[in-house]
Amino acid sequence: MDVLQLDISGRPQAWITSREAAVLYASDAVAWTLGDAFQVLRGGTQRATGLQSRIEVHPIVAVRGAIPSRAWRHTPALTNQKLFVRDRGICAYCGGHFHFDELTREHIVPVSRGGGDTWMNCITACRACNGHKGSRLPEEARMTLLYLPYVPSLHEDMILRGRRIVADQMEFLLASVPRSSRLHG
């Protein structure tokens, strides 16, 4: 299971492995944690005390240090996996629910007509609908969008990136996701 790394103010920074988190604990870089420890890592025996070293890893760790001023303002990278999760595997044209390998990244304004490969110009479409629309605009193909695209917030992006998110992590991230987000539904 991955650990959600935050900056000291509580902004998500990255998903890290429990071993990477252990390095943060060992170097006294962890300011605070959330959630119950999910893993205990054991080390060698300490010469001075005779006790075995031990680090309890929590699902959410906040790291000490300076807060990057603009790092959290960047637009999340667009990938098919994150796009399909954002759109819940639903084709924006026919409304069908499909497995990810049956979906495509559909450009509302085709790239061949000047459309960008951006969150606001991309939606999820099944192969049949994407093929039918081709390099036309939705209106030209007489196709209607069932939902509108949007740029995910930083917290949404962390959910879209996460593979196995535990309840503590999901609760923390969803608390900052707009209620209008499809991730709430």
Side-chain angles (χ1 to χ4, degrees):
M1 183 179 79
D2 287 335
V3 174
L4 178 60
Q5 178 184 321
L6 312 174
D7 66 21
I8 198 159
S9 72
R11 284 194 192 96
Q13 291 184 318
W15 290 105
I16 59 173
T17 66
S18 57
R19 296 223 180 264
E20 291 170 317
V23 171
L24 295 173
Y25 281 100
S27 61
D28 199 31
V30 175
W32 49 271
T33 64
L34 288 175
D36 295 328
F38 71 89
Q39 186 175 16
V40 177
L41 301 173
R42 291 172 176 38
T45 304
Q46 297 176 12
R47 186 180 302 170
T49 64
L51 299 174
Q52 184 180 32
S53 64
R54 148 190 182 141
I55 296 175
E56 292 185 352
V57 180
H58 296 258
I60 302 171
V61 298
V63 179
R64 298 180 203 286
I67 301 166
S69 61
R70 283 182 279 217
W72 59 274
R73 293 187 191 139
H74 290 298
T75 300
L78 174 61
T79 66
N80 284 353
Q81 176 74 19
K82 291 195 289 186
L83 178 70
F84 300 161
V85 172
R86 179 198 73 178
D87 295 345
R88 305 190 72 102
I90 298 172
C91 175
Y93 295 116
C94 71
H97 193 274
F98 296 89
H99 191 270
F100 285 6
D101 61 1
E102 301 171 301
L103 295 171
T104 62
R105 181 187 307 193
E106 163 38 30
H107 295 86
I108 299 167
V109 176
V111 174
S112 64
R113 295 177 70 174
D117 193 33
T118 64
W119 284 104
M120 292 303 290
N121 191 46
C122 290
I123 46 91
T124 298
C126 67
R127 294 189 186 284
C129 287
N130 196 346
H132 176 73
K133 179 179 167 284
S135 61
R136 300 177 287 179
L137 296 172
E139 308 81 57
E140 295 169 350
R142 291 190 164 78
M143 299 174 81
T144 304
L145 286 172
L146 299 177
Y147 56 80
L148 297 174
Y150 67 93
V151 178
S153 69
L154 174 64
H155 291 79
E156 286 172 294
D157 184 50
M158 296 305 288
I159 293 169
L160 297 174
R161 279 196 260 169
R163 289 185 175 85
R164 294 185 315 166
I165 301 175
V166 296
D168 290 331
Q169 295 166 336
M170 186 62 83
E171 181 182 346
F172 176 84
L173 291 169
L174 279 177
S176 295
V177 171
R179 296 296 311 160
S180 59
S181 170
R182 287 193 279 277
L183 296 181
H184 280 291

